[in-house]
Amino acid sequence: MPVVMDADRIGRSLARIAHEILERNKGVDDLALIGVRRRGVPLAKRLARQIKQITGDEVPTGALDITLYRDDLMKQAVGLQPVVRRTEIPFSIDGRKILLVDDVLYTGRTTRAALDALIDFGRPKAIQLIVLVDRGHRELPIKADYVGKNLPTALDESVQVRLQEIDDRDEVVLEQGGA
Amino acid sequence: MTTIGEQIDSTPAVTSLRRKDLLGIADMSPEEIALILDTAEAMKEVGSRPIKKVPALRGKTVVNLFFEPSTRTRTSFEIAEKRLSADTLSVAIGTSSVVKGETLADTALNLEAMSPDMIVLRHSSSGACHLLSRICRSAIVNAGDGTNEHPTQALLDALTIRERKGRLRGLKVAIVGDLLHSRVLRSNIHLLTKMGADVWVCGPPTLVPAEMSRFGVRVTSFVDEAVADADVVMLLRIQLERMEGAYFPSLREYFQVFGMTEARLRLAKPDVMIMHPGPMNRGVEIASEVADGPYSVILDQVANGVAVRMAVLYLLAGGAEHEEAA
């Protein structure tokens, strides 16, 4: 069960991504960070803190639950029915540049669902995708704009991201066998 | 912005309803009830969006089969179904084959031959939903059967109480009115006692079913005793259409003895909530100034009804698949 990212590595990746966000968007104007539940939410908040340390600006954050937009809701051979949680976007996304944050990019289906969910809240000026780990094996034409770590994986491996806020420690682990 | 996401981020004790139908609260576990209420809280947010629709039940067909008049419940189910993107149709019994003498089972089997995924049923006979549950593959959702149960009403009541009080356990809930004919009462008693509330029921002795205390509730015919220090006062409609005999001398006398007035309400806790499942008989079980007063959450109940029904439909849609997979 190799640890592919430890706490330091996760911290450095997020710091780099924060700088990349500022560079690419030339500042924080119209930016907002929206995390995909569950682990995208603490990541979005951490990025907001990083940006605040660099520029002193507050970037608003929100939480997006994509359960009701999944395409596998009625097709789960294994696994539990996902729990529906609250979406909390306490600002208008119209005309904003939305930074969508998730922990792992895999098939792209979660991102597809998140894009659909987001569009129901308004018309953002742009949506950029931030992921901590890109493990490959895309099934949809989706690409991340900011990546913490590109991690080549086999289909029978699973990537577990653990974050202090939810799991009491920071690490990314590559596990053998199905999730 | 630190509060976002922390409120219901813990993983619930159960994550799905492992059942095909929602027939009543009687056979549900406290964990399943909590799951429905948590899911309903998330569904509530969907109703506050500019686009109040999510694709969760896209391609599913839901038939609303109402054999009794209903405005609130039927509208509420229909809105819930549409917000989840299900295809819905409502069968109005006045224009259906029921008036030609078709039995409930035949009506249901004929509808089922057209492969709906769910049937929402309201019927004047207790046990009608259980009958359909045995003969139909579709998921059956009880929208009120006779004097048996009205589970989604009890769930929306619980959601409304939990929102205001933060809990159900340990609250004193007084339920006053027609105990004999009320399916709302039965579902509420099951739910509230399972969730640890202290339930008092009160009505004229002629409208109190025998052996009521076996449900684990306190029974009284003195309304002041029921209302004293109550956290919640729930009023039940005097169901004139179900009354074939004379249960009390007059509506005026009922109001004098059991009607909820501002004066009577002073016996309850200062932050008491007034609830009524509707439709209200103003001046019979509830005074107008109480119904429209600051303690009344009657319209919140209606708003929460949509969220609770969305939660039930969503959870049943996922749960049925599990049964097949298992």
Side-chain angles (χ1 to χ4, degrees):
Chain A
M1 203 176 71
V3 174
V4 292
M5 289 177 94
D6 60 12
D8 280 350
R9 177 75 207 270
I10 291 173
R12 282 197 302 274
S13 290
L14 291 176
R16 169 176 52 81
I17 290 172
H19 282 284
E20 285 177 11
I21 291 169
L22 294 170
E23 185 184 6
R24 176 161 168 175
N25 295 288
K26 302 178 182 70
V28 298
D29 289 348
D30 301 329
L31 288 188
L33 285 152
I34 294 183
V36 177
R37 286 195 186 277
R38 293 173 71 192
R39 288 178 182 75
V41 178
L43 290 174
K45 288 187 202 163
R46 289 189 197 184
L47 285 168
R49 279 200 297 275
Q50 292 274 3
I51 291 171
K52 183 156 191 213
Q53 277 175 17
I54 301 165
T55 68
D57 295 305
E58 295 270 5
V59 176
T61 62
L64 187 67
D65 185 281
I66 56 118
T67 315
L68 298 167
Y69 291 82
R70 290 173 69 118
D71 59 5
D72 57 355
L73 190 61
M74 306 302 162
K75 295 189 181 65
Q76 294 170 83
V78 287
L80 294 169
Q81 187 174 16
V83 177
V84 188
R85 296 166 196 279
R86 228 180 152 82
T87 290
E88 291 162 278
I89 304 181
F91 47 84
S92 165
I93 69 166
D94 283 332
R96 276 189 198 271
K97 285 188 262 182
I98 301 297
L99 302 162
L100 187 66
V101 188
D102 204 353
D103 55 352
V104 179
L105 179 58
Y106 181 27
T107 61
R109 288 178 193 269
T110 304
T111 306
R112 193 283 306 162
L115 292 174
D116 279 357
L118 213 44
I119 298 293
D120 279 359
F121 284 87
R123 188 180 186 280
K125 189 195 235 169
I127 301 176
Q128 299 168 11
L129 178 62
I130 302 169
V131 296
L132 185 59
V133 177
D134 181 348
R135 63 165 292 189
H137 304 291
R138 217 75 77 239
E139 293 169 5
L140 297 172
I142 281 169
K143 187 171 175 295
D145 299 278
Y146 311 87
V147 179
K149 182 179 173 60
N150 280 298
L151 181 65
T153 58
L155 278 172
D156 65 351
E157 290 171 319
S158 85
V159 177
Q160 299 296 327
V161 172
R162 301 197 178 93
L163 297 174
Q164 197 73 43
E165 294 88 331
I166 294 172
D167 312 288
D168 295 322
R169 70 196 137 136
D170 274 359
E171 63 179 14
V172 179
V173 177
L174 187 62
E175 287 177 352
Q176 291 298 319
Chain B
M1 230 142 287
T2 51
T3 56
I4 284 176
E6 273 137 39
Q7 186 197 347
I8 52 168
D9 236 1
S10 58
T11 302
V14 294
T15 59
S16 62
L17 297 180
R18 292 183 174 272
R19 52 178 72 239
K20 172 174 142 308
D21 312 301
L22 178 74
L23 302 178
I25 303 293
D27 65 344
M28 298 193 91
S29 67
E31 291 76 24
E32 285 179 298
I33 293 167
L35 173 67
I36 296 175
L37 299 181
D38 290 347
T39 306
E41 271 181 31
M43 294 296 185
K44 226 181 145 168
E45 180 269 322
V46 175
S48 67
R49 297 181 187 178
I51 297 175
K52 300 173 181 55
K53 201 175 180 80
V54 292
L57 293 192
R58 206 169 46 180
K60 299 273 170 186
T61 308
V62 186
V63 176
N64 300 306
L65 193 52
F66 277 65
F67 287 86
E68 275 189 335
S70 161
T71 313
R72 224 172 326 271
T73 305
R74 206 192 65 204
T75 313
S76 177
F77 267 107
E78 280 185 35
I79 291 177
E81 290 150 8
K82 289 182 198 306
R83 287 200 178 154
L84 291 171
S85 304
D87 295 313
T88 73
L89 59 115
S90 296
V91 179
I93 287 314
T95 58
S96 78
S97 295
V98 174
V99 295
K100 299 179 187 166
E102 189 172 61
T103 65
L104 169 63
D106 282 334
T107 302
L109 287 173
N110 277 279
L111 286 172
E112 178 136 294
M114 296 179 252
S115 314
D117 298 282
M118 297 188 176
I119 297 176
V120 177
L121 178 70
R122 160 157 304 181
H123 200 277
S124 58
S125 296
S126 303
C129 297
H130 293 74
L131 171 72
L132 287 207
S133 156
R134 284 195 298 275
I135 61 175
C136 293
R137 286 186 312 276
S138 321
I140 306 296
V141 182
N142 186 350
D145 64 326
T147 58
N148 176 41
E149 282 225 42
H150 189 353
T152 55
Q153 177 72 40
L155 288 162
L156 73 88
D157 289 341
L159 180 65
T160 311
I161 298 173
R162 214 177 69 162
E163 252 175 18
R164 292 279 172 131
K165 305 284 184 190
R167 67 198 160 101
L168 295 167
R169 182 162 300 281
L171 296 179
K172 179 177 177 181
V173 182
I175 308 178
V176 183
D178 178 354
L179 308 182
L180 189 59
H181 299 95
S182 177
R183 54 194 173 211
V184 174
L185 172 75
R186 286 173 185 61
S187 286
N188 260 305
I189 286 179
H190 287 308
L191 192 152
L192 292 168
T193 54
K194 277 176 205 275
M195 302 309 271
D198 177 23
V199 183
W200 287 64
V201 299
C202 173
T206 47
L207 287 173
V208 178
E211 312 249 359
M212 197 78 209
S213 57
R214 283 201 182 187
F215 282 117
V217 299
R218 305 281 296 268
V219 187
T220 177
S221 282
F222 298 99
V223 71
D224 290 356
E225 190 187 8
V227 173
D229 287 322
D231 296 283
V232 178
V233 174
M234 193 182 288
L235 302 162
L236 299 174
R237 192 168 63 93
I238 294 302
Q239 304 193 27
L240 301 165
E241 75 278 14
R242 286 189 215 276
M243 295 203 184
E244 283 142 19
Y247 290 95
F248 47 82
S250 70
L251 292 177
R252 224 170 111 168
E253 183 170 324
Y254 181 89
F255 182 67
Q256 291 297 325
V257 180
F258 293 99
M260 200 50 53
T261 57
E262 277 184 337
R264 204 157 261 156
L265 211 50
R266 285 190 205 108
L267 299 169
K269 292 234 175 87
D271 61 345
V272 66
M273 298 167 59
I274 293 291
M275 306 179 76
H276 194 301
M280 279 187 281
N281 295 312
R282 289 171 183 264
V284 180
E285 65 263 3
I286 187 166
S288 263
E289 66 267 24
V290 172
D292 306 324
Y295 305 111
S296 168
V297 295
I298 293 168
L299 294 175
D300 298 306
Q301 289 174 268
V302 179
N304 283 338
V306 174
V308 153
R309 286 164 183 132
M310 286 172 76
V312 165
L313 294 166
Y314 165 77
L315 289 168
L316 286 180
E321 295 295 315
H322 278 286
E323 209 162 83
E324 280 166 31

